[in-house]
Amino acid sequence: MHHLKLASVVVGLSVASSGFAATEVAWWHAMGGANGEKVNEIAKAFNDSQDAYSVKPVYKGNYTETMTSAIAAFRAKQQPAIVQVFEVGTASMMAAKGAIYPVHQLMRESGQSFDESTYLSAVTGYYTDGDGKMLSMPFNSSTPVLYYNKDLFAKAGIKHAPKTWQDVEAVSKQLQASGVSCGFTTAWQSWVQLENLSARHNVPFATLDNGFGGLKTELAFNGPLQVAHVTKMGEWQQNGIFSYSGRTNDGAAKFYSQECGMFTESSAGYAGIKRNATFDFGVAELPYWQGQVKQPSNTIIGGASLWVLQGHSEEEYKGVASFLSYLSRASVQADWHQFSGYLPITKAAYDLSKGQGFYAANPGTETGVVQMTTGTPTGNTKGLRLGNFVQIRGVIDEALESVWSGKVDAQTALNTAVERGNAQLRRFEKAND
């Protein structure tokens, strides 16, 4: 008993003595559940690795709530040093002149060695400026893939995972013939079935390189490819090949219950599917339309990045830079990638995961990485940079729902969404000129 008491006193002293010196760095994030616990673990490991800085992670609710909290805190001059912002908030963060401290500048001014070429360009591209300099640090990036039920496939005599949307239709009919009620469902319909559909076929979602070229961008997702795809999905909704499951990722329930044999969802959905599926499943790349492209292009990312906010001391910024360097270490990145299903952000983390035999032991976990790093990103596949994007996605959801319910044809629905979405873009442009 006596020894335990003494040990706790010693531990207490060492914490106290280093506690005075450590500069606190607040990190607001939106990671709940198991990923939230992992965030705490990452911060603790960094804090334990040195005694100059102490990173304090604070969970602020979902992505929208976290971003709103940070903006309110900034106005009240109580902002954290680091905030996690989802990818659709990128244009808003960039427009907040004087609020952000670009990561490339922070690293340079803090004297941290920082080589942007070590990061996967398909991931960092989303968060770079016109000169290719990183504005924020990618933290959790994912891309949509196709999950399929291997048991149902075997029962229906299906030998291969679908590669094209034509395959998806044929496979769905085979599944239905074997007694499965629905071919596939989707999560995040705007992200998967329009934003990534466009990138996969190297077709613009918006003008001016999907908004990377400036605030005068206009939406362009009512082109022939998108209209044909949404028309087809509307038909599939009527005959059960596709089954709509709502605007977020509620479709998972239909996949788990084996009502639907396939599910287009984020690569980061892997951990949840592995936990909940009572059947053997596979992971295939996001399908493309045969005849529309010879070679499909890379998909674009979802997820979030870490933004550094202005208004802190030089000492705090040294801590932030030191922490971001730590986060980029191959071992830290590989561990986070393997645990969460999010993509590795550096080539070294990918190589390390491969070398550790992770992909061989967990088939399907490499699919998103391979798909993301297909070819060189173009103006249509680097990402999307649109103001008021949260509102625009709401407009798109309404348009797609009007097609699924059979009320409106795809061309009319997408034309309306483009018109309404452009009004949001003009409002954003006016506010940030």
Side-chain angles (χ1 to χ4, degrees):
M1 191 63 202
H2 182 70
H3 288 295
L4 280 176
K5 215 169 191 171
L6 184 64
S8 64
V9 168
V10 171
V11 168
L13 282 174
S14 65
V15 168
S17 62
S18 67
F20 291 115
T23 301
E24 270 200 17
V25 173
W27 172 20
W28 287 8
H29 68 89
M31 301 268 91
N35 284 342
E37 288 162 27
K38 191 70 173 173
V39 159
N40 292 339
E41 197 184 295
I42 291 169
K44 187 183 181 304
F46 168 74
N47 295 342
D48 291 348
S49 73
Q50 44 72 52
D51 51 17
Y53 313 107
S54 174
V55 169
K56 294 265 185 278
V58 183
Y59 174 65
K60 298 300 276 189
N62 68 27
Y63 284 138
T64 312
E65 289 161 348
T66 302
M67 188 169 164
T68 310
S69 302
I71 291 165
F74 195 86
R75 291 193 182 121
K77 296 191 166 41
Q78 291 172 333
Q79 69 272 28
I82 308 170
V83 62
Q84 181 188 24
V85 177
F86 58 160
E87 90 283 16
V88 296
T90 303
S92 301
M93 293 302 286
M94 285 178 68
K97 300 274 189 292
I100 63 162
Y101 190 171
V103 161
H104 68 91
Q105 192 183 337
L106 163 87
M107 298 308 253
R108 190 179 65 243
E109 290 172 357
S110 305
Q112 283 284 340
S113 63
F114 181 57
D115 178 5
E116 297 189 41
S117 70
T118 59
Y119 295 84
L120 294 171
S121 62
V123 176
T124 55
Y126 210 108
Y127 305 113
T128 55
D129 64 14
D131 300 325
K133 300 252 187 265
M134 259 159 77
L135 298 167
S136 60
M137 174 67 76
F139 177 58
N140 55 309
S141 299
S142 56
T143 203
V145 292
L146 177 90
Y147 295 94
Y148 62 99
N149 184 323
K150 283 185 169 178
D151 294 359
L152 292 182
F153 268 47
K155 206 178 121 197
I158 303 159
K159 300 274 191 287
H160 304 288
K163 279 196 167 145
T164 65
W165 285 110
Q166 286 94 333
D167 293 342
V168 169
E169 184 174 45
V171 160
S172 296
K173 285 177 178 168
Q174 280 178 270
L175 286 167
Q176 286 178 308
S178 75
V180 180
S181 60
C182 131
F184 79 100
T185 187
T186 192
W188 317 109
Q189 55 182 358
S190 171
W191 183 54
V192 180
Q193 304 298 343
L194 269 181
E195 297 163 34
N196 271 288
L197 169 89
S198 304
R200 200 86 173 112
H201 297 84
N202 196 17
V203 165
F205 184 81
T207 62
L208 297 179
D209 291 341
N210 287 341
F212 275 69
L215 296 178
K216 297 207 178 309
T217 177
E218 293 185 346
L219 298 169
F221 56 73
N222 57 344
L225 170 87
Q226 294 98 332
V227 170
H229 182 70
V230 173
T231 299
K232 205 69 182 151
M233 286 197 50
E235 288 169 18
W236 290 340
Q237 170 67 27
Q238 302 309 314
N239 59 26
I241 284 173
F242 168 59
S243 176
Y244 180 53
S245 306
R247 298 178 175 191
T248 63
N249 57 353
D250 296 334
K254 287 183 189 172
F255 186 62
Y256 299 152
S257 68
Q258 308 197 54
E259 182 186 328
C260 298
M262 294 174 284
F263 181 34
T264 50
E265 155 70 310
S266 162
S267 55
Y270 184 88
I273 292 172
K274 197 171 180 181
R275 202 166 39 244
N276 291 290
T278 53
F279 48 84
D280 198 11
F281 69 91
V283 189
E285 291 194 13
L286 188 70
Y288 60 93
W289 282 104
Q290 198 176 347
Q292 292 291 337
V293 280
K294 279 201 170 68
Q295 181 64 46
S297 299
N298 65 280
T299 46
I300 52 180
I301 60 173
S305 67
L306 305 182
W307 290 81
V308 183
L309 300 179
Q310 292 283 6
H312 292 275
S313 68
E314 194 180 329
E315 199 45 46
E316 276 175 272
Y317 287 132
K318 278 191 175 149
V320 172
S322 173
F323 178 58
L324 294 182
S325 281
Y326 175 83
L327 262 188
S328 301
R329 279 187 197 169
S331 56
V332 176
Q333 266 302 309
D335 177 56
W336 168 244
H337 156 59
Q338 293 173 29
F339 173 84
S340 65
Y342 285 111
L343 302 166
I345 63 168
T346 61
K347 183 148 178 4
Y350 175 42
D351 291 342
L352 179 61
S353 297
K354 205 174 204 160
Q356 289 170 340
F358 176 71
Y359 303 124
N362 299 274
T365 47
E366 198 176 9
T367 306
V369 193
V370 171
Q371 177 181 288
M372 270 298 302
T373 49
T374 303
T376 308
T378 71
N380 296 327
T381 72
K382 191 178 173 186
L384 301 165
R385 191 157 293 166
L386 304 169
N388 291 339
F389 200 3
V390 177
Q391 293 89 326
I392 291 169
R393 276 199 176 155
V395 163
I396 289 171
D397 280 330
E398 284 174 29
L400 293 176
E401 283 165 354
S402 72
V403 177
W404 310 155
S405 65
K407 284 198 191 105
V408 188
D409 66 279
Q411 184 74 67
T412 309
L414 293 180
N415 286 350
T416 306
V418 161
E419 200 178 309
R420 290 180 64 203
N422 281 339
Q424 291 287 352
L425 289 176
R426 299 295 68 83
R427 198 170 298 151
F428 185 80
E429 182 188 8
K430 207 169 161 189
N432 295 291
D433 246 359

